[in-house]
Amino acid sequence: MEINFKKLNPVGFYLLRFLQDLTIRFIILFGGSSSGKSYSVAQIILIFTLWEGSNTLVMRKVGASIRDSIYQDFKTAADQLGITNLFRFSDGVKTITCLSNGARIVFKGLDDSEKIKGLSSFKRVVLDEESEFEEEDYKQIRKRLRGMEGQQIITTFNPIKETHWIKTQIFDKEKWHDIPKTVEIAGRELPPQLTDVKSIRMNEPKSILNPRTKEIEEHPSDTVVIQTTYLNNFWVVGSPDGTYGFYDEQCVADFERDRLNDPDYYNVYALGEWGVIRTGSEFFSSFNRGVHTGVCEYDPTLPVHLSVDSNVLPYISITYWQIALEGDKKHIRQIGETCADSPNNTVRKAAKLVAKRLHEMGVDKVILHGDASTRAANNIDDEKRSFHDLFIDTLQKEGIEVVDKVSNKNPSVPMSGEFINAIFDAVLPGLQITIDENCKVSTEDYMSVQKDVNGGILKTKVKNKITMQTYEEHGHISDTFRYVVVDMLREEFLLFSNRRKRNLYAKDGAIHFFNPDTKCAYSREIAYAMPNVNGKFALVHGKLCGEKWHILDVQLTETASTDEIKQILIDTASPQTIIECAPAYYRFVKDLRKELPGVRAMQEVPDIDRRIAATSDFVKNHLLFNEERLNDDVVYSTFMANLLDYNKDSDCKEASAVLSGFIQFVVKFGFSGNVAVTTEDTND
């Protein structure tokens, strides 16, 4: 067989080399997009199907994606190699059959690793986009591919995130060494410009015990890892001599655009490095790994702060911090992390890991921060001690003195997130945060954790297919981040919370609160709702104590159905409920009276901004908010964030709109209690 070298990319030559090496079991191709990984696999598998007459199984995690992806690559590769007539392509069953020897290339999707059976007839298995597979899928394929000499597993993927199982269970578990970037075919070494890739490595040999002879043998290197980028694809940048391939100017320009505008995306999809792809809806949207990470070594002259989150899955999260005064600047530095996963994800085992780490650093005293809920009693412990108490007790028994600074209540999630983002954006003078570059899990969490519709942390649940346990994949380390920053910068956080941005409603520079623990003799109670203000449902529920209205509850959600609105109003159970709405809602209000007799409709006002301006002074002088709800309730804090963000030119008007309606009503009727029947009442 003769192969025109002008048909192949560098990775294709390496595949020609390693597919003939009986000692190589695993061939891993990873790197950037447009680097020719999958296409080169298609080319070389077609060639070996002709030459060897061996069968190959090509798999993707989702079968529906095969036809328009890897299967199409094989059809295009056959056409480009000029060998289409030597194969039969069965599109319906997605199988390619060699007409000269009957060898098959079979394409399958995988939705359950237990369905992996009958691999003994295949010499090779290709896992395209391996990062989409579960670790258990990979393990099952490894175990079931047996019974034939020279069987191999070939994988391709883009390195999305550093905590992916491919990185932690394959790349980080093996010892690797670089090997020369050379390929010899038919006794001739190819020119180096034809075989240049970003990197090529092999794992170290291992000593194993032969189960038959009982002798210790050396198992040779069996895994090769080839890293490529678009610069190694001659059909993107052109061939070295410019006589073949294709220079795709638009593709190159697009990568350059990413380099300038989206460095994280460029790092993964252009350079082929491990990283995290940003979505634009991150909770820490202003965190930039290139700007906010660096070398943060332990400073023995400064106290060490620990921040703890007690969720045991996927691990108990502990982060290590110090705060340095650098002139007029406070510099918060994360110097370490401990992610105590199974079997160390119990409070005592996690605390012992932390103590060991502290002793290695030479630290014998720490300041403890963390989740306020860790103070709750733990029924697992015989003495019903809390996670918090057990953690401290274990550290103390290990010789670590603990100064307990865990708060009695957690900070507002949206507000603390905005505070940290403001520090990252350098809009709060004198404050800086740097994350140590070795805190890989923390960095990935800060980059990955998403914001939910209320501005809180979206903790998406995943299921472990082995243990069948469901847990929140991201957000726990981010919680430790929030706790410790708010604690260490308490004064700055309170100032930010009360005076942040354009605060139309602050009196004497601050929002004022009532004490929920103080008994009040309430004389009036009103719930005021707007079912569709800027596409959202908004509600204010207040009670009158003397001359002050206490805002006990609020709602601000994406427009709900009338059934959902009805249930919220019924649950609020105010003796007087006013709904400011368009005529289309009048029938809804009339029907609602069957279960909520005190409900009335008010016609929408035409100029919301005018009403907001007219009522803002009343907010300053007569309204008190619930600080406890602000800190503990995501919905309440989201409403307050929207309220404080208001200005005439902004989109954040919903909270101010409904609050101004509430005030207009109570000014007119709220103190006296005499409510007239309006024109709108007769219409509903």
Side-chain angles (χ1 to χ4, degrees):
M1 181 180 291
E2 293 183 358
I3 302 171
N4 182 352
F5 74 92
K6 291 188 177 183
K7 301 286 187 180
L8 303 181
N9 269 317
V11 70
F13 293 118
Y14 286 107
L15 287 170
L16 282 176
R17 169 186 168 183
F18 292 116
L19 262 63
Q20 299 179 67
D21 190 336
L22 298 181
T23 67
I24 299 299
R25 173 73 166 178
F26 306 99
I27 301 174
I28 301 173
L29 309 178
F30 85 106
S33 65
S34 302
S35 61
K37 301 182 296 294
S38 297
Y39 189 78
S40 294
V41 168
Q43 288 179 312
I44 305 307
I45 291 297
L46 286 166
I47 290 171
F48 272 72
T49 304
L50 275 171
W51 180 33
E52 292 182 340
S54 54
N55 297 328
T56 299
L57 175 62
V58 181
M59 306 189 80
R60 290 201 78 169
K61 180 64 176 176
V62 180
S65 65
I66 288 175
R67 179 185 293 275
D68 297 324
S69 55
I70 188 67
Y71 182 70
Q72 186 59 45
D73 283 342
F74 273 78
K75 295 181 74 172
T76 304
D79 184 61
Q80 186 249 5
L81 290 171
I83 56 176
T84 300
N85 62 313
L86 302 179
F87 293 90
R88 180 174 67 251
F89 293 83
S90 303
D91 294 352
V93 294
K94 294 186 283 294
T95 300
I96 302 173
T97 305
C98 181
L99 298 177
S100 62
N101 57 32
R104 297 177 305 138
I105 305 172
V106 179
F107 298 79
K108 285 187 177 182
L110 178 66
D111 57 359
D112 187 346
S113 57
E114 288 300 318
K115 294 181 180 179
I116 303 171
K117 297 178 180 179
L119 299 187
S120 59
S121 64
F122 295 102
K123 185 168 184 179
R124 296 181 181 88
V125 174
V126 176
L127 302 182
D128 191 48
E129 300 294 351
E130 186 192 15
S131 56
E132 297 178 359
F133 289 78
E134 304 289 340
E135 183 181 4
E136 183 62 19
D137 301 333
Y138 182 69
K139 288 181 177 179
Q140 287 291 324
I141 291 169
R142 281 172 39 210
K143 298 303 181 188
R144 294 177 186 266
L145 188 66
R146 58 183 183 269
M148 184 188 305
E149 185 181 39
Q151 287 179 308
Q152 295 175 318
I153 297 174
I154 305 166
T155 65
T156 70
F157 68 94
N158 299 111
I160 298 174
K161 57 182 181 179
E162 294 189 75
T163 56
H164 196 282
W165 66 265
I166 298 176
K167 175 72 161 57
T168 60
Q169 301 303 315
I170 298 178
F171 280 59
D172 293 346
K173 292 291 179 68
E174 295 277 359
K175 293 182 178 179
W176 304 94
H177 62 274
D178 293 327
I179 63 173
K181 300 177 183 179
T182 59
V183 177
E184 186 179 282
I185 296 179
R188 294 170 53 192
E189 184 175 312
L190 297 180
Q193 62 267 29
L194 297 183
T195 58
D196 186 43
V197 291
K198 185 168 185 178
S199 69
I200 180 166
R201 297 178 297 165
M202 294 186 73
N203 62 341
E204 296 289 340
K206 299 180 180 65
S207 296
I208 63 173
L209 181 65
N210 187 311
R212 182 177 59 82
T213 66
K214 311 303 180 185
E215 297 290 332
I216 296 177
E217 301 174 348
E218 183 175 271
H219 179 68
S221 301
D222 62 4
T223 304
V224 60
V225 176
I226 305 171
Q227 184 182 20
T228 56
T229 74
Y230 72 99
L231 299 173
N232 308 129
N233 187 346
F234 298 155
W235 277 261
V236 172
V237 297
S239 66
D241 61 6
T243 63
Y244 65 97
F246 174 69
Y247 174 57
D248 191 334
E249 181 180 358
Q250 295 294 344
C251 182
V252 173
D254 193 59
F255 279 119
E256 180 64 14
R257 187 178 297 109
D258 289 335
R259 184 184 70 82
L260 297 173
N261 301 318
D262 195 342
D264 294 314
Y265 196 89
Y266 180 80
N267 190 57
V268 172
Y269 284 106
L271 303 183
E273 297 293 342
W274 294 97
V276 176
I277 303 303
R278 310 303 292 271
T279 66
S281 59
E282 285 78 18
F283 183 74
F284 295 120
S285 57
S286 300
F287 176 68
N288 184 322
R289 179 168 56 178
V291 175
H292 302 120
T293 63
V295 177
C296 294
E297 296 180 347
Y298 163 61
D299 185 342
T301 67
L302 298 173
V304 172
H305 298 254
L306 295 183
S307 189
V308 182
D309 186 90
S310 60
N311 284 276
V312 300
L313 292 175
Y315 40 70
I316 294 176
S317 307
I318 305 100
T319 49
Y320 304 69
W321 305 82
Q322 290 187 302
I323 180 169
L325 293 177
E326 301 170 355
D328 295 332
K329 181 174 66 178
K330 292 182 179 180
H331 188 180
I332 294 179
R333 301 157 56 247
Q334 183 178 353
I335 61 173
E337 63 184 12
T338 293
C339 301
D341 56 5
S342 180
N344 294 309
N345 55 341
T346 66
V347 57
R348 290 202 179 278
K349 289 182 178 180
K352 288 182 179 181
L353 288 179
V354 172
K356 180 180 178 183
R357 174 79 175 270
L358 293 171
H359 287 313
E360 291 171 351
M361 296 164 60
V363 176
D364 57 10
K365 180 179 180 180
V366 296
I367 301 170
L368 184 64
H369 310 265
D371 186 355
S373 67
T374 61
R375 293 183 178 276
N378 185 347
N379 291 328
I380 298 175
D381 181 56
D382 292 338
E383 300 177 25
K384 298 191 183 312
R385 287 176 295 179
S386 66
F387 180 103
H388 172 264
D389 292 335
L390 287 170
F391 191 84
I392 292 177
D393 180 64
T394 305
L395 286 182
Q396 290 174 336
K397 288 179 178 178
E398 295 292 323
I400 304 296
E401 182 182 347
V402 179
V403 178
D404 183 7
K405 292 292 184 180
V406 176
S407 299
N408 291 320
K409 58 184 178 181
N410 292 329
S412 160
V413 179
M415 195 70 75
S416 58
E418 287 190 35
F419 179 59
I420 292 172
N421 281 321
I423 297 174
F424 283 142
D425 284 332
V427 299
L428 298 179
L431 301 179
Q432 181 181 351
I433 299 174
T434 304
I435 311 301
D436 186 72
E437 59 188 15
N438 292 316
C439 294
K440 303 292 187 182
V441 181
S442 296
T443 299
E444 197 239 308
D445 202 72
Y446 305 154
M447 294 181 69
S448 299
V449 69
Q450 301 292 294
K451 184 188 295 184
D452 66 17
V453 294
N454 294 314
I457 291 179
L458 178 64
K459 293 183 178 178
T460 305
K461 293 185 180 295
V462 297
K463 189 173 186 177
N464 186 307
K465 291 191 174 182
I466 299 175
T467 65
M468 304 306 291
Q469 292 175 301
T470 301
Y471 59 91
E472 296 162 341
E473 183 178 16
H474 293 296
H476 304 305
I477 286 186
S478 292
D479 279 338
T480 71
F481 186 15
R482 294 189 306 106
Y483 302 146
V484 73
V485 169
V486 168
D487 283 350
M488 289 195 289
L489 300 176
R490 174 63 61 180
E491 292 183 6
E492 291 84 354
F493 176 67
L494 292 176
L495 185 64
F496 176 84
S497 301
N498 288 333
R499 296 186 177 180
R500 59 188 287 277
K501 300 181 181 178
R502 303 159 296 278
N503 193 336
L504 179 66
Y505 303 102
K507 180 183 179 183
D508 303 324
I511 293 291
H512 288 252
F513 304 97
F514 67 89
N515 185 353
D517 296 327
T518 301
K519 291 185 178 181
C520 294
Y522 291 120
S523 59
R524 293 296 310 283
E525 179 179 354
I526 294 173
Y528 196 95
M530 296 178 70
N532 189 0
V533 51
N534 283 353
K536 295 183 179 180
F537 168 69
L539 175 142
V540 170
H541 179 207
K543 292 184 179 182
L544 180 62
C545 179
E547 294 292 314
K548 302 290 186 181
W549 282 91
H550 293 183
I551 305 304
L552 281 74
D553 195 15
V554 295
Q555 290 284 335
L556 184 60
T557 60
E558 297 299 325
T559 297
S561 67
T562 52
D563 287 341
E564 291 171 322
I565 294 173
K566 175 182 177 181
Q567 192 57 53
I568 291 173
L569 295 174
I570 291 173
D571 291 343
T572 301
S574 174
Q576 187 168 18
T577 300
I578 309 302
I579 301 179
E580 180 182 331
C581 58
Y585 284 92
Y586 288 171
R587 173 57 60 183
F588 163 73
V589 176
K590 185 176 182 179
D591 293 341
L592 183 59
R593 284 190 185 141
K594 297 173 185 176
E595 300 183 63
L596 204 64
V599 66
R600 293 290 183 271
M602 299 288 288
Q603 189 173 2
E604 289 180 316
V605 300
D607 192 340
I608 291 290
D609 290 308
R610 185 165 177 247
R611 186 173 73 182
I612 293 171
T615 56
S616 61
D617 283 343
F618 189 92
V619 176
K620 299 174 185 177
N621 297 308
H622 295 284
L623 261 64
L624 298 175
F625 295 93
N626 189 333
E627 185 176 18
E628 190 172 277
R629 293 288 300 279
L630 174 65
N631 289 327
D632 297 339
D633 188 320
V634 170
V635 175
Y636 200 102
S637 59
T638 299
F639 182 96
M640 293 299 293
N642 185 281
L643 186 72
L644 299 179
D645 273 346
Y646 168 78
N647 70 46
K648 289 181 64 176
D649 300 319
S650 76
D651 294 328
C652 298
K653 298 185 179 183
E654 300 83 13
S656 294
V658 72
L659 188 64
S660 67
F662 173 88
I663 294 167
Q664 183 182 35
F665 183 83
V666 301
V667 167
K668 192 172 184 180
F669 305 115
F671 290 103
S672 66
N674 298 318
V675 182
V677 178
T678 66
T679 303
E680 291 74 28
D681 288 313
T682 61
N683 288 336
D684 65 21

